[in-house]
Amino acid sequence: MSNKLKEELRAKSKELGFQLFGVSDIAKMEEVPFPEDRGLQRPSEVMPEAKSLIIMGMVIWDEGMNVSISTAGSGDFSGGDSEYYNTYYMIVENKGWHFCKWLKDTKGEDAIPSTTIHAKVATYLAGLGFIGHNTQVITPEYGPRVRWIAILTTMKLEPDEPFVRDLCAEQPLCKNGSLCVKACPYGAIIPGPSQGVELGKKVTYDRCVVAHEFDTVLDKTWEKHIRRVSDRGFAECTLCNLSCPYGESVERDIIPKKRGY
């Protein structure tokens, strides 16, 4: 019955536009450490009565989905006084609410979508991907070109098995140095695996373009790699994501279909 229920949930997830679906271990997620300055929360802080954590992934097939808009401020992405809008978060959260409503209407179960759960670890625990050298989740199907939403629910589901492959080590094109590390124009990504590195230290944040997109006064050093769409709107830098060989399927199979080529 559990597997049948999971497949029903997976089918609904796909209907809403998510290509990837899994169930993470909610108990383990309670114990997962994370950097304190990233606006992340434990499942119990979002929904204390939750019994399961579903994770769903949507492929980013157009760079316009990576647009963010902010008022002039300090560039603090975790909230605070800055007014901040992120397109892909809003897309996946909106779809997540539709999924939660369906759960309530058809199964009588409460559910809440969350973008503050540590999705990278939840995705790994759900068997969907590997945390790669650029700290992004690498999936076998689409590389890192996926955005995630966590669904906390009162429904009891059996967790999936964690992901076991090291996709970066398996990739022949990255044997002589990860392509994502080489792709960063400012050397923000420290070479090597993310595993075993102190939390929040794998990427030198102040050297990442994303950290400077919302600077009140933008230094010309960063302008070259910031894709401005308005005075305070930018398409986030995704050079490390676009360089990943595992994402070639998005270019080959998904983008042409979505755009009607």
Side-chain angles (χ1 to χ4, degrees):
M1 179 62 183
S2 179
N3 287 338
K4 184 178 179 181
L5 177 58
K6 265 192 191 180
E7 290 310 308
E8 185 181 356
L9 301 183
R10 189 190 311 277
K12 183 61 181 180
S13 172
K14 185 176 181 180
E15 178 186 317
L16 289 169
F18 293 101
Q19 289 82 7
L20 297 172
F21 174 96
V23 179
S24 191
D25 190 320
I26 194 169
K28 289 182 179 178
M29 284 299 298
E30 281 294 316
E31 306 300 325
V32 168
F34 50 76
E36 295 182 358
D37 59 348
R38 303 295 171 85
L40 297 173
Q41 294 178 289
R42 303 189 191 285
S44 60
E45 295 178 286
V46 179
M47 187 182 191
E49 68 273 28
K51 296 178 182 176
S52 300
L53 194 165
I54 296 167
I55 190 84
M56 304 188 298
M58 183 190 73
V59 171
I60 296 298
W61 53 269
D62 191 294
E63 284 296 290
M65 295 175 179
N66 289 309
V67 169
S68 297
I69 303 167
S70 177
T71 53
S74 63
D76 178 8
F77 294 96
S78 64
D81 295 332
S82 295
E83 190 174 359
Y84 173 61
Y85 303 96
N86 180 294
T87 303
Y88 61 76
Y89 276 151
M90 291 189 166
I91 293 172
V92 296
E93 190 168 16
N94 178 270
K95 290 176 179 288
W97 276 116
H98 283 285
F99 185 86
C100 292
K101 183 179 185 304
W102 175 81
L103 274 181
K104 184 66 172 179
D105 290 346
T106 63
K107 309 298 179 186
E109 299 283 0
D110 292 331
I112 297 175
S114 175
T115 57
T116 61
I117 298 297
H118 199 336
K120 295 178 183 179
V121 177
T123 302
Y124 153 74
L125 289 175
L128 296 174
F130 173 77
I131 300 176
H133 289 195
N134 67 344
T135 77
Q136 301 299 304
V137 176
I138 313 298
T139 67
E141 302 92 341
Y142 311 111
R145 295 169 72 166
V146 180
R147 299 299 185 181
W148 306 94
I149 185 74
I151 304 292
L152 292 164
T153 178
T154 54
M155 175 180 286
K156 181 65 176 176
L157 296 167
E158 188 70 24
D160 292 310
E161 292 297 319
F163 198 80
V164 295
R165 295 166 58 192
D166 183 335
L167 295 177
C168 294
E170 290 179 17
Q171 178 50 245
L173 295 176
C174 295
K175 291 293 185 184
N176 297 318
S178 301
L179 295 184
C180 60
V181 174
K182 295 177 181 178
C184 181
Y186 300 106
I189 306 170
I190 297 171
S194 292
Q195 292 71 23
V197 178
E198 184 182 349
L199 293 175
K201 301 297 184 182
K202 185 63 168 61
V203 174
T204 306
Y205 188 63
D206 286 342
R207 293 173 67 177
C208 179
V209 175
V210 175
H212 296 279
E213 288 173 337
F214 295 119
D215 288 351
T216 305
V217 179
L218 185 61
D219 191 301
K220 293 297 181 183
T221 303
W222 312 104
E223 187 78 50
K224 181 179 178 182
H225 296 286
I226 289 179
R227 299 174 291 179
R228 189 189 298 272
V229 298
S230 68
D231 184 53
R232 299 301 302 170
F234 308 92
E236 292 185 358
C237 177
T238 55
L239 290 175
C240 61
N241 282 4
L242 294 174
S243 69
C244 181
Y246 289 105
E248 289 179 359
S249 63
V250 178
E251 299 284 346
R252 183 185 65 245
D253 303 326
I254 294 182
I255 291 177
K257 182 179 179 180
K258 292 287 189 181
R259 293 181 179 167
Y261 294 163

